[in-house]
């Protein structure tokens, strides 16, 4: 973006100057129409965004913005991720599909592709940072609640989230991704000067992507240990209560077992939820770095791009499937939740020391 300000327009940036050929010639020589893949991309993007907006995100956002829920830091973080996902899906699915059908390359629509590539880069890196914040938040809630309160209480969450926004803005001023229909993905190299492709490398992007992988793996080690410790704690409690013989104690034992199992099940759901969201991010991050540094197969490139789409399209479905509180409230809002038999379970969870996930 800084080059646009320096040179007065995308077409005037020396390394992105397409004046050697017409847009049609560039498309014919360096692009390839992808009608089937492009149509599938558009369909995926439209369906996902429509479903998310009309049936998922609006109810979920209403749930998140409820005064009793939005005061929880996790919902503030999830809200920011939801907004980011919507705009990224528009770029990496809908716009990408349209460009693919046309067989477009960077020089077909230089200004459009340069700007949207910069925005996509910024949103991707910002969402990577926000996802790590979410994992850190969940880890602290499960292990050190007092530290979670110290870092995320009240408006402190917004301050931390503003760091992820600033982090994303930084990438607006680095080498952008630009689209190429022959490979149906976004690369740093606009493929204008074949002998100078290495000059488009984006070191900041590579550092971001590999850092996400390393940091996420590091965070999942204590995450796993906490979940395993909770399981052991639940088993120990069960053994202790099994020695109680009178009826009143047995009733109390049953109540404690149910409570312990529900808490453990809830924490396990958080773990699975985070793994599913972050796994796709890790693999997509690695593939996108590798394919920009060296030549790889077309199948791997398509797989990497698919994972990038999945990263931003899947979380809302994961929340609905694995997040008990959001799922209950969601179906209640859609008048689909006719069964109130979970009231006792909800009460137990709400009375526990665990913040609702």
């Amino acid at each position: 973006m800084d080059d646009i300000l320096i040179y007065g327009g995308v077409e005037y940036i020396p390394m992105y100057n397409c004046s050697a050929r017409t847009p049609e010639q560039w498309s014919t020589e360096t692009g390839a129409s992808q009608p089937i893949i492009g149509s599938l991309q558009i369909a995926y993007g439209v369906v996902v965004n429509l479903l998310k907006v009309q049936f998922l995100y609006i109810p979920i956002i209403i749930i998140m913005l409820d005064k009793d829920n939005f005061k929880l830091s996790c919902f503030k973080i999830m809200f920011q991720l939801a907004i980011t996902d919507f705009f990224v899906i528009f770029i990496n699915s809908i716009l990408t599909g349209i460009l693919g059908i046309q067989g477009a390359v960077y020089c077909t629509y230089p200004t459009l592709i340069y700007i949207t590539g910069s925005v996509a880069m910024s949103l991707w890196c910002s969402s990577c940072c926000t996802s790590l914040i979410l994992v850190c938040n969940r880890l602290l809630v499960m292990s050190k609640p007092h530290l979670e309160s110290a870092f995320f209480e009240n408006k402190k969450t917004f301050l931390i989230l503003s760091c992820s926004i600033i982090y994303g803005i930084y990438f607006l001023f680095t080498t952008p991704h630009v689209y190429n229909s022959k490979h149906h993905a976004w690369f740093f190299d606009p493929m204008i000067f074949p002998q100078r492709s290495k000059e488009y490398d984006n070191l900041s992007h590579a550092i971001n992507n590999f850092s996400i992988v390393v940091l996420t793996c590091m965070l999942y080690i204590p995450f796993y240990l906490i979940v395993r410790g909770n399981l052991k704690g639940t088993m120990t409690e069960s053994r202790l209560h099994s020695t109680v013989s009178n009826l009143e104690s047995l009733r109390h034992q049953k109540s404690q077992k149910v409570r312990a199992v529900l808490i453990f099940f809830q924490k396990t759901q958080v773990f699975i939820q985070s793994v599913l969201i972050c796994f796709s991010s890790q693999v997509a991050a690695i593939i996108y770095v590798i394919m920009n540094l060296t030549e790889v197969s077309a199948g791997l490139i398509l797989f990497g791009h698919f994972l990038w789409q999945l990263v931003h399209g899947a979380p809302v479905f994961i929340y609905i499937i694995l997040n008990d509180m959001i799922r209950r409230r969601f179906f209640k809002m859609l008048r689909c939740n006719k069964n109130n038999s979970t009231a006792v379970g909800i009460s137990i969870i709400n009375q526990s020391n665990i913040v609702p996930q």
Side-chain angles (χ1 to χ4, degrees), residues 55-334:
F55 300 107
L56 298 177
Y57 273 151
I58 289 178
I60 288 176
I61 287 173
I62 292 174
I63 293 170
M64 290 180 182
L65 292 179
D66 182 274
K67 64 179 181 180
D68 292 329
N69 294 329
F70 200 66
K71 66 183 180 182
L72 302 176
S73 55
C74 63
F75 283 109
K76 298 171 186 174
I77 301 170
M78 289 162 63
F79 181 76
Q80 179 164 308
L81 282 172
I83 299 300
T84 302
D85 289 343
F86 177 83
F87 289 106
V88 175
I89 285 293
F90 179 81
I91 295 174
N92 73 8
S93 297
I94 299 175
L95 178 62
T96 297
I98 294 172
L99 295 174
I101 292 173
Q102 293 183 3
V105 295
Y106 164 74
C107 285
T108 309
Y109 305 107
T111 301
L112 172 66
I113 292 177
Y114 187 98
I115 292 176
T116 53
S118 296
V119 171
M121 167 81 69
S122 174
L123 292 174
W124 160 255
C125 294
S126 178
S127 69
C128 287
C129 184
T130 307
S131 296
L132 275 178
I133 292 173
L134 179 60
V135 176
C136 291
N137 174 266
R138 298 297 82 202
L139 183 59
L140 289 176
V141 165
M142 296 171 67
S143 60
K144 305 288 184 181
H146 63 285
L147 289 180
E148 191 274 339
S149 297
F151 286 107
F152 292 94
E153 190 176 19
N154 299 324
K155 296 183 179 180
K156 293 178 183 178
T157 304
F158 293 113
L159 181 61
I160 293 177
L161 288 176
S162 67
C163 295
S164 70
I165 295 174
I166 295 171
Y167 179 73
I169 291 174
Y170 162 76
F171 285 88
L172 285 173
F173 301 95
T174 64
T175 305
H177 276 130
V178 294
Y179 180 73
N180 184 278
S181 58
K182 182 175 289 187
H183 303 287
H184 202 68
W186 295 71
F187 295 83
F188 296 121
D189 183 8
M191 303 181 188
I192 301 172
F193 308 106
Q195 305 304 320
R196 305 179 67 179
S197 60
K198 291 299 180 183
E199 296 182 34
Y200 296 96
D201 289 347
N202 189 327
L203 180 60
S204 297
H205 172 264
I207 293 174
N208 170 82
N209 283 17
F210 281 115
S211 296
I212 290 298
V213 176
V214 173
L215 289 175
T216 303
C217 290
M218 289 175 61
L219 287 173
Y220 276 126
I221 294 174
F223 221 148
Y224 168 74
L225 294 176
I226 290 172
V227 171
R228 188 180 66 176
N230 288 335
L231 178 59
K232 288 182 177 179
T234 302
M235 297 300 294
T236 300
E237 184 178 358
S238 299
R239 293 192 186 98
L240 288 174
H241 281 294
S242 65
T243 61
V244 182
S245 57
N246 63 73
L247 180 60
E248 193 63 35
S249 295
L250 284 174
R251 288 176 180 175
H252 178 70
Q253 171 195 359
K254 183 178 180 180
S255 174
Q256 290 296 317
K257 284 183 178 181
V258 171
R259 180 178 180 275
V261 169
L262 285 174
I263 292 174
F264 170 73
F265 182 67
Q266 187 185 41
K267 289 184 177 183
T268 303
Q269 282 187 322
V270 174
F271 178 74
I272 296 173
Q273 181 176 301
S274 299
V275 168
L276 290 175
I277 292 173
C278 292
F279 175 76
S280 296
S281 299
Q282 294 174 33
V283 179
I286 294 173
I287 291 176
Y288 251 82
V289 169
I290 293 174
M291 76 185 204
N292 273 282
L293 294 177
T294 185
E295 186 175 344
V296 297
S297 68
L300 184 61
I301 293 173
L302 279 174
F303 181 63
H305 187 76
F306 167 75
L307 287 178
W308 182 28
Q309 293 173 316
L310 189 64
V311 166
H312 298 282
V316 69
F317 299 103
I318 294 173
Y319 295 148
I320 288 294
I321 294 171
L322 292 179
N323 194 302
D324 286 337
M325 194 264 283
I326 285 183
R327 184 172 61 252
R328 285 192 296 264
R329 292 285 299 273
F330 168 71
F331 285 114
K332 185 177 181 180
M333 292 180 68
L334 293 181

Side-chain angles (χ1 to χ4, degrees), residues 10-21 26 106-107 110 190 192-193 200:
V10 173
E11 64 273 19
Y12 301 116
I13 303 174
M15 291 291 287
Y16 292 88
N17 189 298
C18 301
S19 59
R21 297 174 181 80
W26 281 112
Y106 164 74
C107 285
I192 301 172
F193 308 106
Y200 296 96

Side-chain angles (χ1 to χ4, degrees), residues 21-48:
R21 297 174 181 80
T22 65
E24 293 75 18
Q25 289 174 327
W26 281 112
S27 297
T28 301
E29 294 179 17
T30 61
S33 179
Q34 305 278 3
I36 297 177
I37 296 177
S39 298
L40 291 174
Q41 301 273 19
I42 295 172
Y44 171 82
V46 171
V47 169
V48 168

